[in-house]
Amino acid sequence: MSITKTAHTTAEKTGARTDEAANLITGARERIDTLDDRIIGLIQERMAVSAVIQEARISSGGRRVNLAREMEVLGHYRDALGKPGTALAMTMLELCRGRI
């Protein structure tokens, strides 16, 4: 009875209707969680590099943000990911601006 209850719980968690599908979904979700952790780490690394750039720019008398460069980044994300890429890039740029 506990096997049925466990399978039922797994199916409930995944929305699947079969054990096979539930197992596939569970494994894929674990991979997504791992990818999300890597993406978060890369964004944190990008934030640190951006802070170095901003500090150098400001200490040399420049502005904190280089809008022309930001437009390049937005275009790169849009070209690679379509319209949602622009929104993703905007969020990333917001995270990377001004933590100095």
Side-chain angles (χ1 to χ4, degrees):
M1 184 155 182
S2 65
I3 294 172
T4 305
K5 188 168 185 125
T6 302
H8 182 67
T9 303
T10 303
E12 284 178 351
K13 286 182 180 180
T14 64
R17 295 185 181 248
T18 66
D19 290 343
E20 183 181 347
N23 290 334
L24 178 86
I25 291 167
T26 299
R29 284 182 176 171
E30 288 172 2
R31 181 142 191 260
I32 285 174
D33 291 344
T34 298
L35 290 168
D36 284 344
D37 288 342
R38 288 172 50 197
I39 291 167
I40 290 167
L42 289 170
I43 291 171
Q44 289 171 331
E45 184 178 347
R46 190 189 193 288
M47 290 168 66
V49 172
S50 183
V52 168
I53 292 168
Q54 290 174 44
E55 188 174 319
R57 191 181 299 122
I58 291 168
S59 68
S60 72
R63 299 174 67 131
R64 181 174 56 88
V65 176
N66 180 331
L67 295 179
R69 173 62 180 152
E70 288 196 357
M71 294 305 293
E72 288 176 19
V73 171
L74 291 170
H76 181 68
Y77 275 71
R78 182 191 62 244
D79 292 347
L81 302 172
K83 186 177 178 181
T86 303
L88 177 63
M90 287 295 293
T91 299
M92 185 197 52
L93 289 169
E94 183 179 345
L95 285 168
C96 292
R97 275 188 206 123
R99 290 218 175 194
I100 297 176

